[in-house]
Amino acid sequence: MANMMDIKVERNVAIPMRDGTVLRADIFRPEPEGNYPALLTRTPYNKAMGNLAYGWLQPIRPASEGYVVVVQDVRGRFESDGKFHPFHQEIDDGFDTVEWCARQPWSNGRVGMYGISYLGATQWLAAASQAPNLQCIFPGLTGSDYYDGWTYRGGAFELGFNLTWAALLLGLPEVPRLGLEAAEMQAAMGALAPVAGNPFPALNHLPIADAPPFANAKVANYYREWLDHPTRDEYWEPVTIERAHPRIHTPAYNLGGWYDLFIRGTLRNYSGMKANGATAVAREGQKLIVGPWSHGATLTAMVGSRVFGASSQVLLEDLHMRWFDRWLKDRDTGIDAEPAVRVFTKGVNRWGKYSDWPPPAAKPTRCYLHSNGSAATVHGDGVLSTEGPGAERPDNFVYDPLNPCPTVGGALFPYPLEVPPGPFDQEEVERRPDVLCYTTAPLDRDIQVTGTVDVTLWVTSSAPDTDFTAKLVDVFPDGTAINLTDGIIRARYRGGFERGEPLQAGVPAEVRIDLAGTSNVFEKGHRIRLEVSSSNFPRFDRNTNTGANIATDRDIQLAVNTVFHDERRPSWMTLPVVGES
């Protein structure tokens, strides 16, 4: 650790934006006068809230080591003026704030950014703005696409996250600044507050656009805005980071968790920038670290029901400082010499180091679905193997939107509290008749799976639209079935998210489900399982199966869904097999 300096703190410093709106920041800077690099973090969660605002890097340490730390409330939040418009405002405001920092008398013109979740989004959006003085970023637990991977996933609305996030973290503290009369304000607060204690009345409400917490149209109006744009249209185009990678010049240390809801974005930001960044420095200056963590939970050895041990812990504050010292102070911290990718491998609970993601040694291996038409439940005849299918009967199940398959763990937001993120036994799920289970024989050796995972299914439905879900599971010798990663596809978007296309009755269609990625050793004696169903609630909204706009649909119907796995219509899961462990 460097020699520590005394620091001074300035509160609510005004930072003007190009349109005249004033945003305010707390500034922590070394007491000795001088020109220092700046570290900027921009939050919607109240800069006065300590850990929630700062993430893993508290301002005191970098400020005492020769950085000026700027912690800003974003537009329309807490001490900053203006109206809050998630994501879209952060491009110009990010640019303006970065360049303001670079022009200050205490600045040497070099700026870095840090923070997790939405604070990671503000980094990528500032980078997409091509702010010239933004030298590096350290985005944690954040997305790469604010349509597919934040608000929606595979075309399905991330209901559990969006509703609780918009109601509790965004909407509730925003009510006092909406200009409501006293009675109207009390009613708005009274509609939002119950979500903290019991969110299920709101989550279960149909249609979801009329959810009671947002009965007042002025409250969190962005929630309805998201529902008004269920396809990838012009609304989402400006805030799609993946499409911005070719113009971003910023090195990034990408931090993710296997059970974080934004893990796919973390992986895609790394690989997208590695392949398409604007400059050689940006492409070569990408790092990736992924632990067994959930959203915000990186300082605990236990996630969900599994204990990953002390080895899963990382000194994230030190990692941040080494990164910033490298890019903002030109110090040789050894970080350049480290492998580009470091990921935690579950099963054996150890870290692996790789030159890239997916690991070059990972061999995409197809595991085909088999059955004689009775794969429903864990007691069915579903088999998973590398052998191609023959003349096999398809599997059918009934999906009822009023009795959806429940969310049990996974890559989730920490709310609602009753549905925690992480690895859990899937016994409850696998007893359901609307869950197909395909399982390998007990393994005769350890098999390491590290990389991206996806599932391809040939399907039909009695409905014009329905969902298909997939989940990769590690089955222990005693039958415990631990979830590793999962995904969903709304069938109408099987050809792309730009527009919906109904299913045709009786006509098989191919759908692909992106399961993001994982790193796990399936140990000898374990089995590999794939679950297929049509719902994962309340993580995702329920498909009403009518083909109508789901956000406003007041009707529902049952769907008889079919999965084929024969010679003409094979279905499979692709696993990235590294080899024997």
Side-chain angles (χ1 to χ4, degrees):
M1 185 176 293
N3 293 330
M4 307 297 282
M5 303 179 184
D6 292 336
I7 64 173
K8 63 173 64 174
V9 181
E10 300 172 89
R11 301 289 183 184
N12 292 319
V13 175
I15 303 177
M17 300 294 101
R18 67 188 66 183
D19 63 355
T21 302
V22 173
L23 310 188
R24 293 178 177 83
D26 293 342
I27 298 180
F28 303 75
R29 57 190 180 96
E31 186 72 42
E33 295 293 331
N35 300 115
Y36 302 100
L39 294 181
L40 169 66
T41 188
R42 308 184 60 246
T43 179
Y45 303 127
N46 190 353
K47 57 182 169 51
M49 286 294 289
N51 288 348
L52 186 60
Y54 306 148
W56 298 296
L57 185 62
Q58 299 298 305
I60 300 302
R61 177 173 174 184
S64 65
E65 292 186 19
Y67 290 90
V68 176
V69 182
V70 180
V71 184
Q72 183 189 63
D73 287 328
V74 301
R75 178 182 294 251
R77 303 295 290 176
F78 299 95
E79 299 299 328
S80 289
D81 299 342
K83 180 175 174 54
F84 181 57
H85 189 208
F87 311 122
H88 292 78
Q89 66 185 35
E90 311 305 354
I91 302 172
D92 290 348
D93 287 356
F95 181 103
D96 292 351
T97 305
V98 167
E99 295 310 300
W100 181 90
C101 291
R103 294 193 303 268
Q104 298 313 296
W106 41 253
S107 174
N108 68 0
R110 307 175 78 174
V111 182
M113 293 183 72
Y114 71 97
I116 67 173
S117 195
Y118 192 91
L119 287 68
T122 63
Q123 295 176 63
W124 280 115
L125 291 163
S129 79
Q130 298 179 285
N133 288 288
L134 184 59
Q135 303 291 300
C136 64
I137 58 177
F138 202 121
L141 307 176
T142 198
S144 62
D145 183 338
Y146 304 115
Y147 168 74
D148 182 36
W150 188 294
T151 310
Y152 291 84
R153 172 80 181 271
F157 191 62
E158 288 259 15
L159 179 65
F161 164 57
N162 290 324
L163 188 145
T164 56
W165 182 51
L168 300 178
L169 294 184
L170 300 182
L172 197 58
E174 193 175 43
V175 170
R177 63 190 300 158
L178 295 178
L180 306 178
E181 297 293 337
E184 191 181 11
M185 180 184 297
Q186 185 176 6
M189 299 281 280
L192 290 165
V195 175
N198 180 14
F200 284 95
L203 293 168
N204 282 311
H205 186 89
L206 292 173
I208 59 175
D210 295 341
F214 312 108
N216 187 317
K218 296 179 182 179
V219 173
N221 60 349
Y222 32 81
Y223 179 82
R224 294 175 195 80
E225 195 170 82
W226 302 333
L227 290 171
D228 287 341
H229 296 275
T231 60
R232 189 196 293 282
D233 59 14
E234 68 282 352
Y235 172 84
W236 299 106
E237 182 62 28
V239 293
T240 301
I241 296 302
E242 291 178 37
R243 297 187 182 184
H245 286 155
R247 68 173 187 265
I248 294 176
H249 60 74
T250 314
Y253 207 121
N254 300 273
L255 185 147
W258 291 130
Y259 294 101
D260 173 52
L261 74 162
F262 303 130
I263 178 57
R264 188 174 64 159
T266 300
L267 300 174
R268 288 188 173 192
N269 275 329
Y270 168 82
S271 58
M273 282 296 299
K274 189 84 171 179
N276 303 312
T279 65
V281 170
R283 293 189 294 273
E284 295 167 8
Q286 298 299 312
K287 296 282 188 179
L288 173 68
I289 182 170
V290 183
W293 312 309
S294 62
H295 197 69
T298 58
L299 301 179
T300 174
M302 183 173 184
V303 179
S305 67
R306 311 302 294 176
V307 176
F308 293 105
S311 65
S312 69
Q313 304 306 290
V314 174
L315 296 175
L316 294 176
E317 188 177 77
D318 288 352
L319 192 60
H320 278 74
M321 294 308 300
R322 292 176 61 221
W323 181 248
F324 292 130
D325 283 352
R326 155 61 179 102
W327 288 104
L328 301 178
K329 292 187 175 181
D330 300 321
R331 291 177 177 169
D332 182 2
T333 64
I335 210 160
D336 285 349
E338 295 175 356
V341 175
R342 181 160 49 131
V343 300
F344 190 85
T345 301
K346 295 165 287 183
V348 290
N349 293 351
R350 66 181 180 223
W351 290 92
K353 298 179 181 180
Y354 304 97
S355 62
D356 205 357
W357 182 269
K363 178 182 178 183
T365 303
R366 287 187 177 183
C367 296
Y368 292 93
L369 282 59
H370 302 273
S371 83
N372 195 33
S374 300
T377 82
V378 70
H379 303 296
D381 65 356
V383 171
L384 195 65
S385 79
T386 55
E387 296 181 8
E392 300 178 14
R393 295 171 56 191
D395 291 300
N396 305 295
F397 62 93
V398 176
Y399 159 53
D400 180 358
L402 296 182
N403 182 24
C405 185
T407 301
V408 179
L412 310 176
F413 194 53
Y415 295 98
L417 297 175
E418 297 85 351
V419 187
F424 291 93
D425 190 356
Q426 301 300 300
E427 177 187 11
E428 173 189 355
V429 170
E430 294 177 350
R431 291 200 304 262
R432 293 176 58 98
D434 57 353
V435 177
L436 308 179
C437 296
Y438 302 93
T439 312
T440 67
L443 301 176
D444 60 6
R445 67 188 188 284
D446 290 357
I447 294 179
Q448 181 175 341
V449 170
T450 300
T452 56
V453 180
D454 60 69
V455 170
T456 299
L457 303 175
W458 278 96
V459 300
T460 60
S461 178
S462 63
D465 185 44
T466 194
D467 293 345
F468 287 93
T469 64
K471 184 188 303 172
L472 174 62
V473 177
D474 186 350
V475 184
F476 287 57
D478 65 0
T480 301
I482 297 298
N483 53 303
L484 299 174
T485 188
D486 59 62
I488 190 170
I489 186 67
R490 185 142 288 170
R492 70 176 76 178
Y493 300 124
R494 64 194 180 279
F497 300 123
E498 286 71 23
R499 65 181 183 88
E501 180 185 357
L503 294 167
Q504 298 181 44
V507 179
E510 187 180 50
V511 300
R512 180 179 176 274
I513 307 173
D514 185 347
L515 276 64
T518 195
S519 183
N520 186 73
V521 170
F522 295 88
E523 296 184 279
K524 180 180 179 180
H526 287 223
R527 293 175 290 162
I528 303 171
R529 177 172 293 155
L530 172 67
E531 295 176 12
V532 175
S533 190
S534 286
S535 52
N536 184 350
F537 180 81
R539 178 177 181 185
F540 301 111
D541 68 331
R542 294 163 285 176
N543 198 318
T544 55
N545 297 327
T546 67
N549 182 344
I550 293 172
T552 57
D553 196 1
R554 297 183 180 277
D555 298 320
I556 62 166
Q557 66 182 54
L558 299 180
V560 179
N561 294 337
T562 300
V563 176
F564 298 92
H565 41 76
D566 53 46
E567 290 175 307
R568 290 190 302 116
R569 295 159 299 194
S571 295
W572 68 85
M573 174 169 55
T574 302
L575 295 179
V577 176
V578 174
E580 296 186 4
S581 174

